[in-house]
Amino acid sequence: MSPNYILVVICILLSSCSFYETNAQLSANFYSTTCPNVSSIVQNVIQQALQSDAHIGASLIRLHFHDCFVNGCDASLLLDNNSTTNIVSEKDAAPNTNSTRGFDVVDNIKTALESSCPGVVSCADILALAAESSVSLAGGPSWNVLLGRRDSRTANQAGANTSIPSPTEGLTNITAKFTAVGLNLTDLVALSGAHTFGRAQCRVFSARLYNFNGTGNPDPSLNTTYLANLRQICPQNGSTTALANLDPTTSDGFDNNYFANLQNNQGLLQSDQELFSSATTLSIVNTFSSNQNTFFQSFVQSMINMGNISPLTGTNGEIHLDCKRIN
């Protein structure tokens, strides 16, 4: 009788198990014999990409985030439209279209890995490893990524449209989306701390600058000096795709300044600043702002928790030979 069968029986009897726990099958040593240099290969490709694009790290961690929130961490986000295999791409969902980027870097990582260890490393694991490398290369923490995910043979564009938290949503809705995938409030605040690097397009936050919630006025929670700076980047009838740094203080470094920005009413996105206006998350923001090590420890644990969302393991799914299409 398999251990998994026993676990299922116990869970039915006790009605108490979360099936986010089944991810004990993931292991930091999963490729230790089949592709021992996997982490360094991923990191080398990202280091090369950073030389021509200082912001690519933030884009790569976002791919992992947007992948995991839709049917779990299964690389379904990477699949292109394909009428033959009935793939309707998640790339064209509202949270991703004209927004997610870094797919070319993922392809370069896959090419390098296929050269070294053909048919071994999944695209889902590439996203998890790329997220860790991106954080550590920007001065953030490093951690042992749990591995062993397999890749999905389907995509879920409708799920991408409804499951990924939006920067214009209120904290209640965002919390519900985190809860739906087994993540808690500490995870929400810690993972939001990834906005310590990267940029956002004006269209995502311009309503806060000119017409917040239809009032015809700016968001009253915005620091007035910060508001003036943002209006220069995003004039009222200017480009909707102009970019502002998510962290105006250390825009390309991974640190805890994001949380100090929130304390100063300098959160770029509505979803950022709301973390400091709610009693449920305010204390976590204050803790992370006052102690970078505490933030880093929580961030690592929350990244592991997110990476554990419903992975395909064992004989489920497949190892894509090309991350853009099923085999």
Side-chain angles (χ1 to χ4, degrees):
M1 188 178 294
S2 78
N4 284 350
Y5 178 79
I6 295 169
L7 176 65
V8 169
V9 172
I10 292 170
C11 288
I12 291 170
L13 290 174
L14 298 179
S15 301
S16 63
C17 290
S18 160
F19 279 88
Y20 300 105
E21 300 303 319
T22 58
N23 310 319
Q25 296 166 75
L26 300 182
S27 159
N29 302 314
F30 189 81
Y31 298 113
S32 59
T33 56
T34 54
C35 195
N37 297 323
V38 58
S39 295
S40 59
I41 292 170
V42 171
Q43 183 155 319
N44 288 342
V45 174
I46 295 174
Q47 278 180 309
Q48 199 170 357
L50 283 166
Q51 290 173 10
S52 57
D53 183 352
H55 308 290
I56 196 62
S59 297
L60 290 170
I61 195 172
R62 188 163 177 255
L63 291 182
H64 185 41
F65 176 71
H66 281 213
D67 179 48
C68 290
F69 266 70
V70 184
N71 291 14
C73 309
D74 60 1
S76 57
L77 169 61
L78 304 179
L79 294 170
D80 282 346
N81 287 310
N82 190 312
S83 56
T84 307
T85 54
N86 297 316
I87 300 294
V88 181
S89 180
E90 293 172 22
K91 294 177 184 178
D92 295 330
N96 296 326
T97 188
N98 299 319
S99 174
T100 46
R101 57 192 286 273
F103 298 108
D104 54 333
V105 179
V106 174
D107 289 339
N108 291 343
I109 294 169
K110 183 63 172 172
T111 299
L113 286 169
E114 287 300 306
S115 173
S116 185
C117 335
V120 170
V121 181
S122 68
C123 299
D125 279 345
I126 287 174
L127 290 179
L129 288 162
E132 189 278 337
S133 285
S134 296
V135 170
S136 62
L137 288 169
S142 57
W143 64 95
N144 291 322
V145 180
L146 300 183
L147 302 165
R149 301 167 191 79
R150 289 165 66 86
D151 298 325
S152 176
R153 293 180 54 81
T154 60
N156 184 0
Q157 188 184 105
N161 276 320
T162 56
S163 300
I164 296 170
S166 160
T168 58
E169 273 185 301
L171 185 59
T172 302
N173 283 2
I174 292 175
T175 302
K177 290 182 177 183
F178 272 73
T179 303
V181 293
L183 299 177
N184 63 26
L185 273 179
T186 301
D187 296 317
L188 192 168
V189 179
L191 292 172
S192 295
H195 287 172
T196 181
F197 64 171
R199 300 178 294 177
Q201 297 178 27
C202 291
R203 64 186 174 93
V204 176
F205 59 87
S206 60
R208 296 187 71 209
L209 312 184
Y210 301 102
N211 188 22
F212 184 60
N213 290 344
T215 59
N217 294 306
D219 183 341
S221 71
L222 265 173
N223 175 295
T224 52
T225 306
Y226 187 48
L227 170 63
N229 291 340
L230 291 176
R231 282 179 160 179
Q232 287 188 316
I233 298 167
C234 307
Q236 192 148 19
N237 296 309
S239 168
T240 59
T241 57
L243 295 162
N245 292 323
L246 285 160
D247 177 353
T249 48
T250 51
S251 57
D252 296 326
F254 198 99
D255 52 35
N256 67 335
N257 283 350
Y258 166 83
F259 299 102
N261 296 337
L262 301 186
Q263 292 173 320
N264 295 324
N265 290 319
Q266 291 183 314
L268 182 65
L269 309 177
Q270 179 184 339
S271 56
D272 292 327
Q273 195 57 52
E274 285 211 8
L275 298 178
F276 194 65
S277 59
S278 166
T280 56
T281 50
L282 175 68
S283 62
I284 308 174
V285 170
N286 288 337
T287 298
F288 290 165
S289 177
S290 63
N291 192 320
Q292 181 164 278
N293 285 337
T294 301
F295 163 52
F296 280 5
Q297 289 169 5
S298 291
F299 181 80
V300 166
Q301 186 56 55
S302 294
M303 284 296 291
I304 292 169
N305 295 345
M306 184 179 78
N308 279 347
I309 299 171
S310 308
L312 298 170
T313 57
T315 56
N316 295 316
E318 64 185 24
I319 306 299
H320 292 333
L321 301 178
D322 176 343
C323 294
K324 298 185 294 296
R325 56 182 62 88
I326 65 173
N327 295 345

